Amino acid sequence: MHICHIVLNNIGGAPKVADSLIYSQVKAGYKVSTVILTDLDPRWILSFKSAHIIIVMKIAGTLFYIGGAIHQIWVAIQLDKIVAEHKPDIIICHSAFLTKLFYLSKFMPGSLSIPYISYIHSDYLSESKIERQINPIAAFIQDFNVRIDNWIHLRAIKQASGIVFVCKTLHKKFLNLGLNHPRIAISYNPVTPDSKNPPLNSTAESWLNDSHLITFVSAARFHYPKDHQTLIKAFAKASETYSNIRLVLLGDGDLEVEMQGLANSLGIREIVLFAGSVPNPKAYFSLCRAVILASHSEGFGMVLVEAVANGVTFIASDCPVGPREISEVLNCGTIVAESDVDALAEAIIDHVKNPQQKIDRSEQIAQFFSETSCANQLESLIQQVVSR
C-alpha cells in the first residue's frame, strides 16, 4: 500500500506527529510519500528522512488569509498534479486546512478518486477568530468570507473517508457542529524522543540553576491565541509577592516586540527573558518549577504533556480544547480560568509557596502518548477505509 501524507510544515506539533507516523509506517513495510507545504526558514523544515518520496512545495504567507484564496486554488491544482503522478492508495491530510486544499483539488478535471483521512490536530475554529472590522460593510464581507471558508472546511472534513481527532474534547466540539462521521479515531499526539539537546540560553541557564531563584517556563508562539498578555500581567502581579521568581518565554512571532514592551511598562523586563524559539525545550522544562500555558485556544497543548514527561507539572488556562483533558488523563497540573490575570497570578504564587516534587507519570505517558499507540490508531482507521 502507498500512503501519502500532506503536511503543513509549521512550528506546531503536527509535523512532528506526521514524521513519527511516517517512520512507523515505513518500518511496517508500507510505501510512504510526503508532500510538505512550507514557507519557513530552512532550520524549521523537518527532514522526513523515512519517507520514500519527498515533495516540498514553497507557499506564500498569504495562503492563510482571505486574500490568499487564489493562491489556495493554485496549491490545490499542484496537489492534484502530484497525486496524479504518484498515485497513492490513500492520503493523510494533517490539518483541517490541508483537508480543504485536497478536497478542492478533487474538483480539478481528471482528478483521481483517492480516499483521504483528515487528521485534525487543532481547534482551528477557535484559532481562526480574527479582529472584527468596525466598518459595517467591511464587517459584513468579513463575516461572509469566514462563514464560506468554515463551510468549505467542514464540507471537506465530512467528505473524508475517515477522521482522526487528537483528543476527545476536539471530537465533541465537531460533533456539536453536526459532524457525525462513521469512521473516527481519537489518538493523542505522541511524546516523540529527541536526541538533540541544544545549549540553554546563558541567562536562562543561570536562572534555572540558581537555587535562590524560582523559574517558570512558557513555550508558545507570540500569536494572539497564546495570550502572552495575560501571562505577563499575571507574572508581574505574582512578582509583587515574590521578587525571586523568573519567567523564560520560548518562542517568536508577530507579537513578540509588543509583549516586550508590555514587560517594560510593567517594570518586569529584568525578570522576564525572551529566549527565542528552540527546537527542543525539554532541557528548560526539566529544570523549571512549572510550565505555564495561558492560551485562549489550543489544538491540544502537547507542550504540557512534554512538561510532564520531563517530570514537572504545569499551570494552564481552561481553554476550550486541551489542557483540562490533559490534566485529567495525567492526574496533575493546575487549571485556571482563561484570561484571568488574578487566577493565574495566584496559581504562580501557590507553586512558589508549595513546590511540587518531581512527578512520575511514565506509565500514563506510555499508555496514552506513545508513538506505538498513535501509529496503531491510524493503522486501524486506514484498514477500515481501504476495506470498506
Side-chain angles (χ1 to χ4, degrees):
M1 184 189 298
H2 179 185
I3 304 169
C4 177
H5 292 257
I6 305 177
V7 184
L8 182 64
N9 206 343
N10 54 15
I11 303 176
K16 294 180 181 179
V17 175
D19 200 27
S20 170
L21 291 167
I22 290 165
Y23 178 71
S24 297
Q25 288 170 347
V26 170
K27 282 203 309 179
Y30 292 110
K31 178 181 179 181
V32 185
S33 59
T34 310
V35 180
I36 305 169
L37 278 67
T38 183
D39 63 348
L40 291 177
D41 182 282
R43 71 193 178 103
W44 286 110
I45 298 176
L46 290 176
S47 62
F48 294 92
K49 292 178 181 177
S50 54
H52 297 303
I53 306 165
I54 301 175
I55 303 140
V56 179
M57 293 176 60
K58 291 294 288 184
I59 56 176
T62 55
L63 186 68
F64 306 102
Y65 301 96
I66 293 170
I70 294 174
H71 190 56
Q72 291 184 28
I73 294 172
W74 178 85
V75 173
I77 293 171
Q78 305 312 308
L79 284 175
D80 180 62
K81 291 179 180 177
I82 290 169
V83 170
E85 178 182 357
H86 296 285
K87 298 180 176 62
D89 297 301
I90 192 167
I91 303 280
I92 314 294
C93 301
H94 283 273
S95 72
F97 177 73
L98 292 178
T99 302
K100 179 183 74 172
L101 292 183
F102 182 71
Y103 174 73
L104 292 175
S105 78
K106 294 170 73 70
F107 289 92
M108 303 304 156
S111 64
L112 299 177
S113 179
I114 296 175
Y116 65 97
I117 289 174
S118 181
Y119 209 121
I120 308 299
H121 291 268
S122 68
D123 179 12
Y124 80 91
L125 292 170
S126 297
E127 291 174 354
S128 63
K129 290 179 181 176
I130 54 179
E131 187 176 353
R132 185 175 174 82
Q133 295 286 338
I134 297 175
N135 181 287
I137 296 176
F140 174 80
I141 295 172
Q142 181 188 59
D143 287 345
F144 178 78
N145 284 330
V146 169
R147 286 175 181 272
I148 291 295
D149 196 51
N150 285 341
W151 182 85
I152 297 172
H153 271 108
L154 286 172
R155 177 72 178 172
I157 296 169
K158 286 180 179 179
Q159 293 300 310
S161 301
I163 309 172
V164 180
F165 292 100
V166 295
C167 63
K168 296 175 182 177
T169 316
L170 194 56
H171 178 217
K172 289 179 182 177
K173 184 164 188 175
F174 276 78
L175 279 177
N176 291 336
L177 295 172
L179 188 65
N180 190 8
H181 198 282
R183 286 173 294 281
I184 294 286
I186 297 172
S187 177
Y188 293 132
N189 288 344
V191 175
T192 55
D194 194 338
S195 58
K196 296 177 183 177
N197 196 15
L200 295 171
N201 174 286
S202 57
T203 301
E205 184 173 20
S206 66
W207 288 358
L208 289 162
N209 289 304
D210 188 335
S211 61
H212 300 291
L213 299 178
I214 299 170
T215 302
F216 295 83
V217 172
S218 181
R221 293 165 293 155
F222 284 92
H223 293 173
Y224 169 77
K226 302 301 182 182
D227 197 11
H228 284 87
Q229 180 172 283
T230 293
L231 170 57
I232 291 171
K233 288 180 178 179
F235 202 78
K237 190 175 183 67
S239 70
E240 296 172 2
T241 303
Y242 290 100
S243 60
N244 64 329
I245 61 174
R246 299 292 184 269
L247 176 63
V248 177
L249 298 173
L250 302 176
D252 54 22
D254 299 339
L255 298 179
E256 183 173 3
V257 173
E258 182 180 332
M259 292 304 103
Q260 289 173 345
L262 176 61
N264 280 329
S265 69
L266 293 172
I268 59 170
R269 190 65 180 85
E270 297 302 313
I271 65 170
V272 176
L273 174 66
F274 292 78
S277 291
V278 296
N280 180 14
K282 67 179 182 180
Y284 292 85
F285 293 169
S286 62
L287 294 171
C288 74
R289 175 61 57 90
V291 170
I292 306 176
L293 195 62
S295 303
H296 293 303
S297 64
E298 281 292 332
F300 182 54
M302 196 61 195
V303 68
L304 303 179
V305 180
E306 291 170 348
V308 176
N310 283 281
V312 297
T313 189
F314 61 81
I315 304 168
S317 62
D318 196 10
C319 57
V321 172
R324 181 169 291 279
E325 187 168 343
I326 293 171
S327 179
E328 291 171 355
V329 169
L330 295 177
N331 192 28
C332 64
T334 301
I335 303 297
V336 299
E338 179 193 337
S339 303
D340 191 327
V341 172
D342 291 338
L344 183 53
E346 282 300 318
I348 293 169
I349 290 170
D350 184 64
H351 278 264
V352 176
K353 290 192 298 186
N354 304 299
Q356 298 188 14
Q357 299 294 322
K358 290 290 182 179
I359 58 177
D360 182 3
R361 295 291 186 272
S362 54
E363 289 187 10
Q364 292 94 328
I365 296 290
Q367 180 181 355
F368 296 105
F369 303 100
S370 70
E371 291 185 292
T372 300
S373 173
C374 187
N376 288 345
Q377 291 280 0
L378 181 57
E379 166 71 14
S380 176
L381 186 60
I382 289 173
Q383 292 305 322
Q384 291 180 49
V385 169
V386 298
S387 63
R388 70 188 180 97

